[in-house]
Amino acid sequence: MINYKIAITGVVQGVGFRPFVYNLALKYNIKGWVNNDEKGVNILLYAKEENIEKFINELKINPPVLAKINSMNIEKITDKKEQKNYKNFEIIQSINSNNKSTIISPDIAICDDCLKDINDNSNFRYNYALTNCTNCGPRYSIIKTVPYDRINTSMGKFELCENCNKEYINPTNKRYHAQAIACEVCGPQINLYNKYNILIESNINAIEKAAQLINEGFTLAIKGMGGFHIVCDSKNDKIIEKLRLNKNRPNKPFAIMFKDINSVNSYTNISNKEKEVLLSKEKPIVLVNKKEGFQLSKYIAPNINQIGCFIAYTPLHHLLFRYLNNPIIATSANLKAEPIIRTKDEILDKLNNIVDFILDFNRDIINTCDDSVIQIVANNIVKIRNARGYAPSLIKLEKSIKKNILALGANQKSTISIAFENNLILSPYIADLNSIESLEYFERTINTFKKFYDFEPEIIVCDKHPNYESTKFALKLKEQNPNLELIQIQHHYAHILSCMAEYNLKKDVLGIAFDGTGYGDDGNIWGGEFFIANTKEYKRVNHLKYFRLLGAQIAVKEPKRIALSLLFDNFTIDEILLMNIKCVKAFNSNEIQMFYKMWQKGLNAPFTSSIGRLFDAVASFADILQTQSYEAETGLLIQQYYDETIIEHYSYKIIDEQIDISNMIKEIILDSNKKLICSKFINMLVQIILELSDIYKNLPVVLSGGVFQNRVLLKILIEKFHKQGREFYFSKDVPLNDEGISVGQIYHKI
């Protein structure tokens, strides 16, 4: 009989790790103990060596479902003075210390076992809408600090009843120390209110009544795991039109929640990979293709053949679907540019003109967390939004760092990242930092992560853009604490670094960053960049030739302005006035003359090299869209019109480290077929990337930036690079868009 000591780090708290170890020890006749501390899980084993070896092997190969082991330090105790005999195996009390480094687990969708419990009328959790266990339920959204014990969560105020307590203290039970467990007797209650804050019904009656109201054509706010959804019937054209009007959301697609995978199959064409992700423990929103003759409302995702769909992921949702006639719209409850709402009072205050009723429960959401959004490209998971189920996200560093780093990300699709020891942790998606509410949430998220890990930054990293709120916040922190080291990283370089961080790349790469906007080193707006880069430095080796944005930020909303600007670059004003194309006809002659003066003098018309803005111009030339109602609408529509049978591409030239698209503009005005224009444009981008990549054959290619979320473009590049046998990378765990910027900012300092 010998002793072994094991220390495990990673996502190992709130995931049933200790009871798993306990039952594994019983299986192999091992004595000793297991506990949590603020670094992870500690195990002391006393048994025959062959039994301990079997124990360790199974722990490595088959850990708990939700656990993510980052390190397992195994030490055989050979000093006889340190060896101890044990008579049984115990789970002992958590140890507190001043060094917090246990990784917080994301919220996880309800598991099959809990689903059976709420549908089993002989179980005391029958119909209980907040049922969970060690393998599912809220984590990040309810935790105040670590260690993950009930007292440190929003469940601390709910004292367990006798039935729940029996499960909670039994190491062989699936709810052993599942901190959010409760039942209708001792736990949070479900309540239905009208828009005047009058209580209508409670518990299962409230859920049944809520479903009835949805079926009748009312709009409800329903509390989810990390915030509220606005919910209505997905087949009711009239109510969806009204929702669009009240929410000032004319075209942006709504996500649809389905009862189960069979229901998803009825309305969409899903691949095996999409089905796998829809059914995963994370249950994200997945972008999939509509079936021909799509049977839900035409107002759900106007003009595009994709919808975002997800499967009910909380017990409350599943109980609701017992009584619903159809799938439901389930879109984030928020105002434009604000984070998702987490309280009933805020719903009443801000969305009173949108929702008729509110389905609430009195388990507080401590940390809001939106739904994750995923798309599948060439059988690869690509994250559009990294949140519930996946975040907080951990990247394990090769070695420990000496100073704590806080990275503040970009302005749109805000996230923060922190790094300490050998951990790099990415927060869930926050919001665009364009409102007081989103700025408050941004600061609250920073404080939350500081509290989780007793984290005080010694280095602050931010973007170079002087008008980003995240940059202003960094400068304010530096002013308050002059000892902080402040570093500003160029936006597109940070994009490349974010992908390098995911794959732990340190060598030189050819980084290709295509997006909508980012502050360039020369003060212009970049977005079509080719870099030779490593973790310490970068050199811009090529970029899209600059063109002007007429009206600056307004041009982002009006693609016709960008198309007109590109015409000014290539034709005389007289030639343009005679053109019979839609992007010219969208203006009167006086407007064109005025914009021409703006273009000539550079008045409120900054230069850009943005591929994202080039997408806007092409949508205008193709007369797909002259005015844009939501971000990347042009990209989605161009993707929609792509025809893979068209192999031609528009002409371009690479001159003096610039990509000159003058020939493309001269050619595009001669084409009128939407499919032809969109296909030749995307094919041109592919050709540009392949040609420039070929110049740097010795370097791996790294693709990053929001433009590469265009699944047609990315799919073609994946296929082409695979065919070439080329080493290339694109982000999968870290979003390609600006959510990944904070990760890249940190990786520069690792």
Side-chain angles (χ1 to χ4, degrees), residues 162-293:
E162 186 178 349
N163 282 333
C164 288
N165 193 56
K166 281 179 183 175
E167 295 180 326
Y168 186 78
I169 63 173
N170 179 3
T172 63
N173 191 282
K174 68 185 178 188
R175 294 194 175 93
Y176 174 79
H177 280 219
Q179 307 303 345
I181 74 159
C183 69
E184 195 168 326
V185 172
C186 64
Q189 304 297 298
I190 311 295
N191 291 306
L192 178 67
Y193 300 86
N194 65 17
K195 64 192 297 181
Y196 307 105
N197 204 19
I198 296 170
L199 180 65
I200 307 295
E201 293 281 3
S202 294
N203 298 322
I204 191 63
N205 293 332
I207 295 169
E208 186 174 359
K209 180 66 176 176
Q212 178 190 329
L213 291 166
I214 293 167
N215 292 335
E216 290 173 0
F218 291 98
T219 301
L220 275 68
I222 296 180
K223 195 172 188 177
M225 212 178 284
F228 277 86
H229 288 118
I230 298 173
V231 169
C232 66
D233 186 344
S234 64
K235 290 190 176 182
N236 190 323
D237 286 351
K238 186 177 178 181
I239 198 67
I240 297 171
E241 277 191 292
K242 182 182 175 184
L243 176 59
R244 287 202 173 279
L245 181 67
N246 290 340
K247 209 168 187 282
N248 190 25
R249 185 170 169 168
N251 291 313
K252 189 176 181 181
F254 287 125
I256 306 298
M257 182 181 285
F258 293 85
K259 178 181 181 179
D260 52 32
I261 197 67
N262 292 331
S263 181
V264 176
N265 271 322
S266 299
Y267 299 97
T268 67
N269 294 316
I270 55 173
S271 67
N272 288 335
K273 187 67 174 179
E274 287 165 345
K275 179 179 178 181
E276 177 189 318
V277 177
L278 282 163
L279 289 171
S280 69
K281 65 183 185 297
E282 292 84 8
K283 297 286 191 302
I285 295 171
V286 181
L287 303 183
V288 301
N289 290 328
K290 300 174 184 173
K291 266 191 174 167
E292 194 172 341

Side-chain angles (χ1 to χ4, degrees), residues 65-66 106-119 125 127-139 174-175 225 259 278-283 311-319 363 388-389:
V65 176
L66 303 184
D107 297 338
I108 297 296
I110 184 173
C111 68
D112 289 342
D113 286 339
C114 286
L115 203 49
K116 287 175 187 173
D117 288 346
I118 66 169
N119 288 317
R125 285 199 178 80
N127 286 343
Y128 185 56
L130 296 171
T131 298
N132 62 87
C133 71
T134 54
N135 291 327
C136 69
R139 266 75 172 171
K174 68 185 178 188
R175 294 194 175 93
M225 212 178 284
K259 178 181 181 179
L278 282 163
L279 289 171
S280 69
K281 65 183 185 297
E282 292 84 8
K283 297 286 191 302
I311 292 172
Y313 63 84
T314 71
L316 189 155
H317 295 143
H318 281 276
L319 292 171
R363 182 184 72 206
R388 176 185 53 77

Side-chain angles (χ1 to χ4, degrees), residues 26 31 33-34 64 79 103 106 167 198 249 266 350 355-356 421 462 516 519 529-531 564 585 588 693:
L26 295 185
K31 317 301 179 188
W33 52 261
V34 59
D79 188 337
I103 309 304
E167 295 180 326
I198 296 170
R249 185 170 169 168
S266 299
K350 293 185 174 181
V355 302
D356 304 302
E421 297 175 3
C462 67
Y519 189 80
E529 316 307 315
F530 291 77
F531 298 123
L564 188 63
K585 297 298 180 185
N588 62 45
S693 300

Side-chain angles (χ1 to χ4, degrees), residues 493 496-497 500 507-513 529-542 657 692-693 695-702 726:
Y493 176 44
I496 302 306
L497 288 168
M500 293 175 70
K507 56 190 175 183
D508 283 356
V509 302
L510 175 64
I512 305 173
E529 316 307 315
F530 291 77
F531 298 123
I532 304 297
N534 55 42
T535 55
K536 300 305 174 192
E537 59 187 357
Y538 63 99
K539 179 185 177 185
R540 190 188 193 202
V541 295
N542 219 297
E657 298 181 348
L692 286 170
S693 300
I695 296 171
Y696 303 96
K697 286 182 178 177
N698 60 319
L699 298 178
V701 174
V702 167
R726 186 66 185 263

Side-chain angles (χ1 to χ4, degrees), residues 728-746:
F728 74 101
Y729 302 90
F730 61 94
S731 297
K732 298 175 186 177
D733 290 334
V734 176
L736 283 158
N737 59 36
D738 280 9
E739 285 183 53
I741 289 288
S742 62
V743 171
Q745 289 170 341
I746 281 184

